[in-house]
Amino acid sequence: MSSTEGKVICCRAAVAWEAGKPLVIEEVEVAPPQANEVRVKILYTSLCHTDVYFWEAKGQNPLFPRIYGHEAGGIVESIGEGVTDLQPGDHVLPVFTGECKECAHCKSEESNMCDLLRINTDRGVMLNDGKSRFSIKGKPIYHFVGTSTFSEYTVTHVGSLAKINPKAPLDKVCVLSCGISTGLGATLNVAKPKKGSTVAVFGMGAVGLAAAEGARIAGASRIIGVDLNSSRFELAKKFGVTEFLNPKDHKKPVQEVIAELTNGGVDRSIECTGNVEAMISAFECVHDGWGVAVLVGVPHKDAVFKTHPVNFLNERTLKGTFFGNYKPRTDIPSVVEKYMNKELEIEKFITHQVPFSEINKAFDYMLKGDGLRCIIHMEE
């Protein structure tokens, strides 16, 4: 039994007090886990664009003060009542969406969109009692997407933790708890390109490059990267991208350019930008008869997707995906094994490392578009 079990833990957390202002390292109190909850010691966390988006509070309900963070790796410190499949000492990846294993979605082989634990960006409290487990001098600090990993200790629902191989290096595999798995799964689980096929990936950020990595693993013969920033092509080559298109370099729509380059269109496309024009291009650039386009990026709330219905009648398929169609508890441990078996390369996604006390540097890197993933070391 750990010496902290059942007790409040005082530790450091990076608190966002208001939108767009630098995070402040504070001493917070972290309450013990309640029923179906787990308290986790976070060892490594990384910054994802979703954290930045909600920290900036552009276009959604601002909720402050808040502890952000959802890409991380840690070790179970203690468990609440009713938790049976995790024990103190287990290595886990917290995931922003969960798997209760009991709802219709969790029981379906086709869906990973758990009714109970699906991502909820507005909720800043625990499901069990509607309260926060974080406080500073008695004042509650809100949670973020059920994980809040910018804290040395956090409390999550048991369904939002993937138990992984304890030999896996947490400072690497922590990036599999969000963006990398999202892009990888969009290709391997949803687009499912056949060996030798052609694939177009829209957006060469971390998620798009993970989608390209999936196409490389699947054995695609041509992987066409599409991005408005031509300087990304050099980096994209490391992820299997064979050709690069910048829509700004062409007088005709990029889907027409791709159709000309590939004798009628690519076999598969994956869109990872959230830009509705890119989504339309991704759908219209796939080959008739068998082409499949997969949408990954989250569009603006007022966005409208427009295409001619004949594109569907000509047997093109349009799909969407959430977290790469991975069920967090069931599937993420096997993604970690892909890395352990050297099928999947993670190191090339990690471009920066900072100590926890310098977490704001990670925000600076992302806001400048500098690099892919910055690992934040909690223990300095």
Side-chain angles (χ1 to χ4, degrees):
M1 187 174 115
S2 73
S3 60
T4 48
E5 188 177 337
K7 300 174 185 170
V8 171
I9 289 177
C10 291
C11 69
R12 294 181 307 159
V15 177
W17 289 100
E18 53 186 304
K21 293 289 171 67
L23 306 188
V24 182
I25 304 287
E26 305 275 13
E27 179 157 296
V28 299
E29 295 97 41
V30 185
Q34 296 191 11
N36 297 315
E37 294 175 0
V38 178
R39 191 160 56 185
V40 179
K41 180 178 186 176
I42 300 295
L43 296 179
Y44 301 95
T45 185
S46 67
L47 181 65
C48 167
H49 192 266
T50 305
D51 296 306
V52 176
Y53 181 74
F54 284 90
W55 165 74
E56 289 179 322
K58 291 178 179 173
Q60 29 25 38
N61 298 327
L63 191 60
F64 295 96
R66 202 170 201 182
I67 297 172
Y68 287 100
H70 65 281
E71 254 187 29
I75 297 174
V76 172
E77 174 271 335
S78 59
I79 58 175
E81 182 191 337
V83 175
T84 55
D85 54 354
L86 285 173
Q87 296 296 327
D90 285 344
H91 287 218
V92 290
L93 301 183
V95 183
F96 65 90
T97 184
E99 181 186 352
C100 72
K101 297 197 173 181
E102 292 170 8
C103 70
H105 283 279
C106 285
K107 287 180 175 173
S108 161
E109 288 181 10
E110 296 175 39
S111 175
N112 66 338
M113 300 184 75
C114 175
D115 281 331
L116 180 69
L117 299 169
R118 190 181 308 183
I119 186 171
N120 183 328
T121 56
D122 289 338
R123 188 174 62 232
V125 292
M126 298 301 287
L127 285 169
N128 194 41
D129 60 357
K131 292 180 180 172
S132 173
R133 300 289 171 264
F134 298 112
S135 60
I136 296 179
K137 296 176 183 159
K139 177 183 169 65
I141 308 294
Y142 292 113
H143 294 248
F144 179 63
V145 297
T147 52
S148 290
T149 61
F150 294 166
S151 175
E152 291 176 317
Y153 287 86
T154 190
V155 178
T156 80
H157 190 284
V158 64
S160 297
L161 292 171
K163 180 182 173 181
I164 63 161
N165 183 342
K167 294 194 176 84
L170 288 171
D171 61 331
K172 308 286 193 303
V173 298
C174 62
V175 298
L176 294 176
S177 59
C178 179
I180 310 310
S181 294
T182 296
L184 190 73
T187 302
L188 296 178
N189 299 337
V190 188
K192 297 179 180 173
K194 296 184 174 81
K195 191 171 174 57
S197 60
T198 53
V199 178
V201 179
F202 288 73
M204 296 281 96
V207 176
L209 292 172
E213 178 82 351
R216 182 189 70 77
I217 291 169
S221 62
R222 292 173 75 182
I223 303 172
I224 302 169
V226 183
D227 200 287
L228 295 171
N229 183 350
S230 297
S231 67
R232 290 187 167 168
F233 182 39
E234 212 44 50
L235 176 65
K237 288 178 185 173
K238 290 186 187 174
F239 299 84
V241 173
T242 56
E243 297 152 74
F244 185 86
L245 288 174
N246 185 333
K248 292 190 291 193
D249 294 342
H250 301 273
K251 291 195 169 72
K252 59 178 76 167
V254 74
Q255 54 266 45
E256 292 179 22
V257 178
I258 291 171
E260 286 174 10
L261 283 172
T262 56
N263 196 22
V266 288
D267 302 311
R268 301 289 186 265
S269 72
I270 301 104
E271 187 286 324
C272 304
T273 70
N275 177 291
V276 74
E277 296 303 321
M279 293 178 175
I280 294 165
S281 297
F283 177 54
E284 294 182 353
C285 81
V286 297
H287 206 288
D288 57 8
W290 61 79
V292 177
V294 178
L295 305 185
V296 181
V298 179
H300 187 272
K301 63 179 177 18
D302 299 323
V304 177
F305 186 100
K306 289 182 181 176
T307 191
H308 200 284
V310 81
N311 287 319
F312 292 98
L313 300 177
N314 285 341
E315 300 181 8
R316 292 179 177 92
T317 300
L318 179 65
K319 292 184 169 187
T321 179
F322 173 70
F323 191 49
N325 218 31
Y326 286 120
K327 293 180 189 278
R329 295 160 89 180
T330 302
D331 299 330
I332 291 304
S334 64
V335 182
V336 171
E337 291 310 308
K338 272 189 197 302
Y339 167 71
M340 297 299 281
N341 298 334
K342 298 189 165 46
E343 291 171 60
L344 168 65
E345 298 169 16
I346 294 178
E347 283 83 356
K348 58 194 177 186
F349 288 98
I350 298 168
T351 50
H352 296 87
Q353 314 240 4
V354 296
F356 187 39
S357 58
E358 296 177 20
I359 188 170
N360 289 302
K361 274 191 184 171
F363 281 76
D364 293 339
Y365 294 140
M366 186 157 284
L367 291 168
K368 287 178 190 157
D370 187 2
L372 296 173
R373 279 294 183 266
C374 177
I375 305 294
I376 297 151
H377 295 246
M378 306 302 282
E379 294 182 325
E380 298 177 35

